[in-house]
Amino acid sequence: MLTDEIIEKIKNSLIKDPRFSDLDFSNLSLSIPRNKDHGDFSTNFAMISSGSLKSKPIDLAEEMLVLLKQSQDSFFHDITVEKPGFINFVISKEIYQGYLADVLLKGVNFGSGPKNNKKVLIEFVSANPTGLLHLGHLRNAAVGDSVARILKFSGYDVVKEYYVNDYGNQVRLLGESLKERVLEKLNLVFNIPEGGYKGDYLIDVAESLLMTKDSESIMKEENSFFSNFAINYLTEEIEKDLKDLDITFDSWYSEKKKIHDSDSVINIKKLIQSVGGLYKKEGAEWIKTSDYGDNDDWVVTKSNESSTYFMNDIAYHHDKFDRGFDKIINVWGADHHSHISRLKASMKLLSNDLTKLDFVLIQFVRLIKDGQDVSMSKRSGTYTTIKDMLNEFNKDLVRFMMVSRSSDSHFDFDLDKCREGSDDNPIFYIQYASARINSILNKDDLNKHDMESANLALLTEEKEIGLIKKILSFPDTVEEASNTMSPHKVAFYLQELAAIFHSYYKNTKVLVEDDELSKARVLLLSSIKIVLINGLNLLGVSSPERM
RNA sequence: GCGCCAGUAGCUCAGCUGGAUAGAGCAAAGCACUUCUAAUGCUUAGGUCGGGGGUUCGAAUCCCUCCUGGCGUACCA
């Protein structure tokens, strides 16, 4: 990466002076100044070193400047010092041009990090299979999948997992509710039980069930038959919806099979017991999470001897650690934030390494239409489903909108402003850039150009250098997005890149009479296209050839 | 009450491991299509970064406190 090379050069220059050789160079960082007069890159290294060296920042910067200039090759076009102690660098155009040639070579891999042999488990969505996916799951799905894509691109070995909550009271209630819907379909008296599932979708499930065999034998079945049918049906629907969003999972982790059909819970309880983390009170069994950083203790075994949801979650997460991942990420809705501290405490109690455990909290999205919140359907009292959303808006738009804001920020999704052709629709803006590039690249006889021989030194316009700089900062953006698990950083980056491109496009003709110049500009455009495709792909958004 | 997230331009939001004159899109006002796609570009205007203290060379960013909004605070899952 360009920034790595710059840092390396600075370090090599400074380290020659015994005065600086003991400095902590891991603090040496670059930033891109807002103000163009401050160069391409800037470092505050002199300022942050002034404490330990007991000198004024500005004096240190001047001393460093001398060293930097001594060993200067043609890499830096200019190095200057500004008060109160910034050192600013202008990189030679040739260096930029050289790096640009590299982008085409790397192609789909441009921006990616080297394989780091670290295994990541990322669990997201994990909606209960007692209903259809709705708006509340959408942001979680989009963010989770994008984080997974970004981590993979950065070099991690990523496993995407969906925890299927196919066990417990709710499953029984689901079966009972379905049975009633079957009765309804048979025009018999029906009554959905207290706390049951009243949504319309179970009518569809009932219809589907009635196709499988005659109603008489269906009604003879036990409740578990209905439960199983509903769970299977709804899980399939969920999988289908996710597929429509271009989201697939590597692992569907069944609570029933993995946790309850095995001795997992019993074993974990023994484990907790063995470190004295379990005690009885008021007929229930409690875990001493308060000894491990949580504010309270929690019930793990109810007085009716069944395990709580929390206990199952402990078993599940302990298993995640057992499976040998280097990083375990949970993408949770913000309404689950209170579970974090108790889960962490219980994992600590079981001697798991908490530094491996990470959370992405997703704040709520509201759907706005005509200035009104329409997240909740007035008619049925249920949330807008993902199916409804995808009926009205394409997948690219929906996914982009869901990752275009920091996930810990509340966010209003205004439907009216996202319609096709709307000016307030950034995804079209980005895709349009890609389409415009294609339309140029598709012109005849460009393929005959031998790109490797393009003379990039001809790219001298300010906007061209600006584009190259932006392209070359893509790997840094990916790295940052990866480190902070923040897809929105990629989304913002792409909008900025598209903006510079559109401006350039308007201002400068690419295919000109001068073949050599055309060739160089075509190469620049090809590089932009690569970045747009790679970046959009990280967000699960396509790059149409034409619009 | 306690906990988590948020409060930045009229609106939706970036910027938050402290950096230089606080940004983008939309909306507003005005321009530019005989041109490789106008789903575009170019101007202009728009701010007590919720309030108040503190930390320091420097605070939207860190600390304290208060205010406002959202969410959570089960022997449900």
Side-chain angles (χ1 to χ4, degrees):
Chain A
M1 250 184 271
L2 178 59
T3 43
D4 295 335
E5 187 173 353
I6 299 169
I7 287 176
E8 198 59 24
K9 280 188 178 288
I10 298 171
K11 187 178 163 185
N12 288 340
S13 299
L14 298 187
I15 214 159
K16 288 176 193 156
D17 188 321
R19 218 173 142 216
F20 298 139
S21 57
D22 287 339
L23 288 174
D24 179 5
F25 284 96
S26 63
N27 283 331
L28 174 54
S29 66
L30 292 175
S31 62
I32 297 178
R34 246 193 303 266
N35 187 335
K36 278 180 188 163
D37 297 339
H38 295 144
D40 299 335
F41 294 95
S42 168
T43 183
N44 60 358
F45 194 56
M47 288 186 279
I48 56 177
S49 303
S50 71
S52 57
L53 292 179
K54 292 170 188 145
S55 294
K56 278 161 71 179
I58 190 80
D59 297 340
L60 272 181
E62 291 290 355
E63 285 177 51
M64 289 178 174
L65 180 66
V66 171
L67 283 170
L68 287 165
K69 287 208 159 169
Q70 268 172 10
S71 45
Q72 189 195 144
D73 43 35
S74 60
F75 190 91
F76 296 114
H77 177 258
D78 196 17
I79 309 175
T80 54
V81 164
E82 295 277 344
K83 60 185 175 193
F86 291 103
I87 307 175
N88 299 330
F89 303 87
V90 178
I91 311 299
S92 302
K93 283 180 181 172
E94 297 76 44
I95 300 298
Y96 282 125
Q97 290 154 350
Y99 267 93
L100 182 64
D102 204 35
V103 175
L104 276 189
L105 283 177
K106 290 193 172 143
V108 292
N109 291 319
F110 176 67
S112 66
K115 288 244 168 276
N116 60 16
N117 292 317
K118 286 192 179 151
K119 285 174 64 189
V120 181
L121 179 71
I122 177 166
E123 182 215 333
F124 59 106
V125 188
S126 297
N128 289 351
T130 52
L132 299 171
L133 290 184
H134 56 66
L135 181 66
H137 306 118
L138 183 56
R139 194 179 188 183
N140 185 304
V143 171
D145 188 60
S146 294
V147 170
R149 286 168 187 248
I150 290 167
L151 290 173
K152 191 173 177 188
F153 197 60
S154 315
Y156 287 93
D157 190 1
V158 179
V159 173
K160 296 185 278 181
E161 184 159 279
Y162 189 117
Y163 182 67
V164 187
N165 217 295
D166 52 2
Y167 181 89
N169 261 334
Q170 42 159 10
V171 175
R172 179 180 55 78
L173 278 166
L174 181 70
E176 288 171 6
S177 306
L178 174 59
K179 191 170 182 177
E180 296 301 319
R181 286 300 191 184
V182 171
L183 289 173
E184 178 185 13
K185 276 273 131 196
L186 297 171
N187 291 317
L188 297 168
V189 180
F190 74 101
N191 178 26
I192 295 177
E194 186 66 32
Y197 294 90
K198 300 194 159 100
D200 294 347
Y201 57 89
L202 276 186
I203 300 174
D204 297 337
V205 184
E207 263 174 38
S208 174
L209 174 54
L210 282 165
M211 312 262 256
T212 58
K213 56 182 180 180
D214 65 283
S215 53
E216 225 169 282
S217 42
I218 287 177
M219 293 317 294
K220 280 182 197 155
E221 295 281 2
E222 303 204 340
N223 187 54
S224 64
F225 170 82
F226 292 93
S227 293
N228 287 339
F229 188 87
I231 292 284
N232 287 337
Y233 183 99
L234 291 168
T235 306
E236 262 175 46
E237 285 300 310
I238 288 169
E239 199 169 355
K240 229 183 277 173
D241 286 348
L242 289 168
K243 206 163 184 182
D244 287 341
L245 288 167
D246 262 347
I247 296 173
T248 55
F249 281 86
D250 306 304
S251 156
W252 293 78
Y253 191 101
S254 159
E255 178 182 352
K256 181 172 182 296
K257 286 181 196 139
K258 300 276 187 157
I259 294 181
H260 300 287
D261 293 353
S262 73
D263 292 333
S264 162
V265 168
I266 298 167
N267 290 337
I268 302 290
K269 276 185 191 167
K270 276 184 197 157
L271 215 53
I272 300 172
Q273 180 95 61
S274 70
V275 293
L278 220 50
Y279 65 95
K280 294 217 168 176
K281 191 177 96 183
E282 295 159 5
E285 211 165 19
W286 299 65
I287 182 170
K288 275 180 161 169
T289 33
S290 62
D291 283 355
Y292 294 85
D294 195 18
N295 290 331
D296 299 295
D297 292 341
W298 300 91
V299 170
V300 290
T301 315
K302 304 180 213 169
S303 41
N304 69 7
E305 300 201 346
S306 68
S307 297
T308 59
Y309 167 80
F310 180 44
M311 183 58 231
N312 302 335
D313 229 23
I314 293 174
Y316 174 41
H317 282 87
H318 187 66
D319 181 55
K320 287 183 176 179
F321 280 97
D322 268 356
R323 284 187 273 162
F325 290 99
D326 299 291
K327 199 175 171 81
I328 295 165
I329 301 170
N330 290 336
V331 183
W332 281 0
D335 52 338
H336 282 74
H337 67 77
S338 62
H339 297 195
I340 292 179
S341 58
R342 66 192 211 193
L343 184 65
K344 275 189 177 171
S346 56
M347 288 302 110
K348 195 171 170 191
L349 185 152
L350 289 167
S351 305
N352 289 310
D353 179 2
L354 284 192
T355 60
K356 291 179 178 173
L357 186 60
D358 230 325
F359 296 86
V360 179
L361 280 186
I362 311 284
Q363 293 292 339
F364 286 169
V365 187
R366 289 191 307 165
L367 277 191
I368 307 291
K369 200 174 185 177
D370 301 327
Q372 301 279 315
D373 181 355
V374 293
S375 313
M376 194 74 98
S377 153
K378 280 186 198 131
R379 199 168 41 78
S380 60
T382 53
Y383 278 98
T384 308
T385 61
I386 286 186
K387 283 186 208 300
D388 292 340
M389 296 277 304
L390 289 178
N391 270 336
E392 209 167 340
F393 302 99
N394 76 44
K395 179 264 301 180
D396 287 340
L397 169 68
V398 168
R399 283 201 64 163
F400 187 86
M401 293 309 288
M402 287 299 139
V403 296
S404 63
R405 304 280 185 259
S406 163
S407 54
D408 53 21
S409 149
H410 303 260
F411 161 46
D412 288 346
F413 187 0
D414 192 325
L415 295 173
D416 303 311
K417 288 187 177 168
C418 299
R419 304 203 182 268
E420 196 159 337
S422 156
D423 288 332
D424 197 3
N425 197 330
I427 183 56
F428 285 98
Y429 183 81
I430 297 168
Q431 288 180 323
Y432 186 48
S434 162
R436 274 180 149 179
I437 291 172
N438 274 319
S439 118
I440 294 174
L441 298 185
N442 289 337
K443 297 276 175 214
D444 284 345
D445 70 272
L446 281 178
N447 293 336
K448 293 174 200 154
H449 282 215
D450 173 12
M451 286 306 153
E452 283 177 27
S453 72
N455 180 8
L456 297 175
L458 297 171
L459 298 174
T460 54
E461 281 192 22
E462 198 185 328
K463 286 197 163 129
E464 286 166 342
I465 298 297
L467 275 166
I468 297 173
K469 284 184 193 170
K470 195 69 188 174
I471 290 169
L472 296 181
S473 72
F474 180 59
D476 296 304
T477 301
V478 173
E479 192 181 336
E480 207 188 328
S482 169
N483 289 339
T484 56
M485 301 186 286
S486 309
H488 77 277
K489 289 182 192 289
V490 176
F492 273 90
Y493 169 89
L494 291 173
Q495 288 181 74
E496 286 157 13
L497 176 62
I500 307 175
F501 165 73
H502 282 306
S503 170
Y504 172 68
Y505 178 93
K506 197 72 188 176
N507 192 55
T508 313
K509 199 154 161 47
V510 173
L511 301 176
V512 288
E513 290 201 0
D514 180 345
D515 264 1
E516 287 303 306
L517 183 56
S518 297
K519 212 194 270 189
R521 288 182 173 165
V522 162
L523 190 138
L524 174 62
L525 259 57
S526 305
S527 306
I528 299 170
K529 183 181 168 183
I530 284 169
V531 176
L532 288 173
I533 290 176
N534 291 1
L536 286 174
N537 190 39
L538 293 177
L539 306 179
V541 175
S542 67
S543 323
E545 287 285 308
R546 111 189 26 204
M547 290 172 73

